[in-house]
Amino acid sequence: WSMVLPLAELQAYEWLKTETPPDALIQWDSEGRGAEGWANIPAFAERRLAAGLPTSMVPMAKYEMAARLGGLMFGPGPAATYHDAAAQLRIDYVYLGRHEQTQHPGALAIYRAGTDFFEPVYDNGQVAIFRVRY
């Protein structure tokens, strides 16, 4: 089984690996990415996800519940709802790659406008990363 990773995502993983604390919790749309890519951030950026769907972990209930909560960070908004979900999961950074921007077309604009809650820290044109403000 092989995955072809876009250069923009590899660059974002490298940024996470070199520019964030080793204990930083990252979040992306785990539910939407499913089993195919849930481990990319742990594998390539060497950072933990706050919520993922590791299919080898049984029982799955606690992982599914956390992934649903993380999913609130990509829905219809507002930014305060995103921030509440991030705070419950103690997320440090939110990752919006091609998947998140395609599947949740309004999310990027909500993060960019929600500067009271999120600080833009990385953007290569295809991946945007925001630090959660606490």
Side-chain angles (χ1 to χ4, degrees):
W1 179 42
S2 298
M3 291 177 70
V4 176
L5 299 173
L7 179 59
E9 288 207 10
L10 291 171
Q11 291 169 335
Y13 298 154
E14 184 65 22
W15 184 88
L16 286 168
K17 185 172 159 179
T18 60
E19 300 298 324
T20 64
D23 61 347
L25 286 178
I26 316 299
Q27 192 58 46
W28 62 7
D29 180 17
S30 294
E31 278 190 310
R33 285 182 179 258
E36 283 184 16
W38 78 268
N40 287 1
I41 286 177
F44 298 108
E46 299 178 14
R47 295 296 180 266
R48 295 181 311 148
L49 288 174
L53 291 171
T55 56
S56 61
M57 301 300 285
V58 178
M60 286 287 295
K62 77 175 187 176
Y63 298 100
E64 291 169 338
M65 185 172 28
R68 277 193 295 280
L69 182 57
L72 294 176
M73 299 171 54
F74 303 100
T81 299
Y82 289 6
H83 190 267
D84 289 346
Q88 287 183 56
L89 291 169
R90 297 185 309 250
I91 293 167
D92 299 303
Y93 297 89
V94 181
Y95 182 106
L96 288 100
R98 180 177 53 194
H99 169 82
E100 289 76 17
Q101 294 179 43
T102 302
Q103 297 301 310
H104 310 285
L108 183 59
I110 292 169
Y111 278 100
R112 285 187 174 146
T115 56
D116 288 345
F117 302 107
F118 304 100
E119 174 189 4
V121 292
Y122 179 86
D123 191 335
N124 68 9
Q126 294 181 33
V127 176
I129 300 173
F130 295 83
R131 186 180 63 79
V132 180
R133 295 183 190 268
Y134 289 106

